[in-house]
Amino acid sequence: MIEKDAKLEVERIIQAGEDEGVRLRVLGGLAVYLACPSAVTHHHLKRVYADIDLVGLGKDGPLLGKFFTKLGYEPDQRFNALHGQSRMIFYNPQDGSHVDIFLDRFQMCHKLNLKNRLLGGYLTLTLIDLLITKIQIVEINEKDLRDILSILLDHEPGHESPNCLDLDYLIGLTSQDWGLYTTSSDNFVKVRTHLPEYLDETESEIVTKRIDQIVQSMQSAPKSLRWKARAKIGRHLPWYDLPDEVNR
């Protein structure tokens, strides 16, 4: 499925869901493609998007089988039977692509509660949610780096809007969760080291300034008692999960 076709298909799915009272939002690389001009036009940030990743609501889980069948998809019967309370997969028989749906939460290296993050008027998750789903990956890869750079190059930290990164929301999470704070901090360092491979000097300055603003805000924000207790243990115990290939 090429990007143009994927965009049209996503729009079809999201609109059909809205019409039938099933709220879905896009995440993953395709969401970055839809939300970030650089992911479309920048020579070093463009990449291929094969499948569609969505977030839905757990309460709508029982409706999704009939919903996607109506749209022409075929369910992964075994996977959905085993994991249907938190995740479902449907295949497009026309091109072999698939739709992967996370219900209420996104769980990879860290658990992200998205139940209240499927905002009205959006096609994708919010920009900050897209960034968090990428920056929480411990074994970050080239595709993740390109997506993170596209988000940071195109959008500045601020308050929640379709064009800004909601810094307050990110800080609210990282001030409660030492593990997410640590993985995110580590990855912002990694992103900075890779800037010359993808961006020119002016672009690198923009992204560096935005990373510095985000990291400084994370560091200076008051931390919860739970955060402080976990920080005392530090890196002596694992603070993340490493998902297997089906989850990645």
Side-chain angles (χ1 to χ4, degrees), residues 65 74-90 99 101:
E74 298 176 351
D76 186 322
Q77 299 283 8
R78 184 174 184 276
F79 184 90
N80 293 351
L82 291 172
H83 305 284
Q85 290 187 333
S86 60
R87 190 173 173 189
M88 303 180 78
I89 293 176
F90 296 88
V99 174
I101 308 166

Side-chain angles (χ1 to χ4, degrees), residues 3-246:
E3 288 80 2
K4 182 179 179 181
D5 292 338
K7 180 178 184 294
L8 293 174
E9 182 63 2
V10 159
E11 292 172 344
R12 182 176 80 101
I13 293 172
I14 301 299
Q15 186 57 57
E18 294 293 315
D19 293 342
E20 298 193 23
V22 176
R23 175 149 291 188
L24 297 165
R25 294 293 180 264
V26 193
L27 78 161
L30 181 58
V32 176
Y33 173 86
L34 295 171
C36 301
S38 291
V40 181
T41 61
H42 197 290
H43 178 68
H44 296 297
L45 300 180
K46 293 189 296 184
R47 67 180 185 85
V48 176
Y49 310 94
D51 301 299
I52 296 172
D53 295 329
L54 302 174
V55 178
L57 299 175
K59 69 179 183 63
D60 293 333
L63 306 175
L64 294 179
K66 182 178 180 180
F67 174 76
F68 276 96
T69 298
K70 184 177 179 180
L71 292 177
Y73 284 80
E74 298 176 351
D76 186 322
Q77 299 283 8
R78 184 174 184 276
F79 184 90
N80 293 351
L82 291 172
H83 305 284
Q85 290 187 333
S86 60
R87 190 173 173 189
M88 303 180 78
I89 293 176
F90 296 88
Y91 292 95
N92 186 336
Q94 295 184 354
D95 59 16
S97 64
H98 74 267
V99 174
D100 197 344
I101 308 166
F102 297 84
L103 299 177
D104 286 346
R105 62 180 57 84
F106 180 82
Q107 184 171 347
M108 292 295 179
C109 297
H110 298 274
K111 297 178 182 178
L112 305 176
N113 186 347
L114 299 175
K115 187 175 182 179
N116 297 317
R117 302 297 296 169
L118 281 61
L119 304 187
Y122 285 70
L123 183 65
T124 71
L125 286 177
T126 70
L127 290 166
I128 195 62
D129 286 306
L130 294 179
L131 179 62
I132 294 169
T133 61
K134 292 292 179 178
I135 212 72
Q136 60 83 44
I137 300 170
V138 173
E139 296 181 347
I140 200 166
N141 62 31
E142 183 180 9
K143 292 188 295 184
D144 301 320
L145 277 170
R146 292 185 183 191
D147 289 342
I148 291 167
L149 289 173
S150 293
I151 295 170
L152 292 172
L153 179 60
D154 292 344
H155 306 286
E156 63 182 352
H159 300 291
E160 179 55 51
S161 77
N163 296 311
C164 282
L165 295 162
D166 188 348
L167 189 53
D168 290 338
Y169 181 73
L170 172 63
I171 292 170
L173 294 182
T174 58
S175 296
Q176 296 288 328
D177 187 337
W178 181 86
L180 179 62
Y181 171 93
T182 299
T183 300
S184 300
S185 299
D186 289 350
N187 278 332
F188 280 124
V189 172
K190 293 178 186 177
V191 170
R192 289 191 62 161
T193 63
H194 287 283
L195 289 178
E197 301 170 28
Y198 298 93
L199 305 180
D200 63 28
E201 185 175 348
T202 300
E203 293 167 337
S204 295
E205 289 177 358
I206 292 172
V207 172
T208 297
K209 182 179 178 180
R210 291 173 179 174
I211 289 176
D212 288 346
Q213 181 181 352
I214 293 170
V215 171
Q216 289 169 8
S217 297
M218 287 169 53
Q219 292 174 341
S220 61
K223 307 301 189 295
S224 69
L225 292 176
R226 184 182 69 172
W227 190 101
K228 294 176 181 177
R230 182 61 183 85
K232 291 181 179 179
I233 301 172
R235 298 173 186 259
H236 297 294
L237 291 176
W239 63 94
Y240 56 84
D241 296 318
L242 284 180
D244 56 27
E245 186 60 28
V246 69

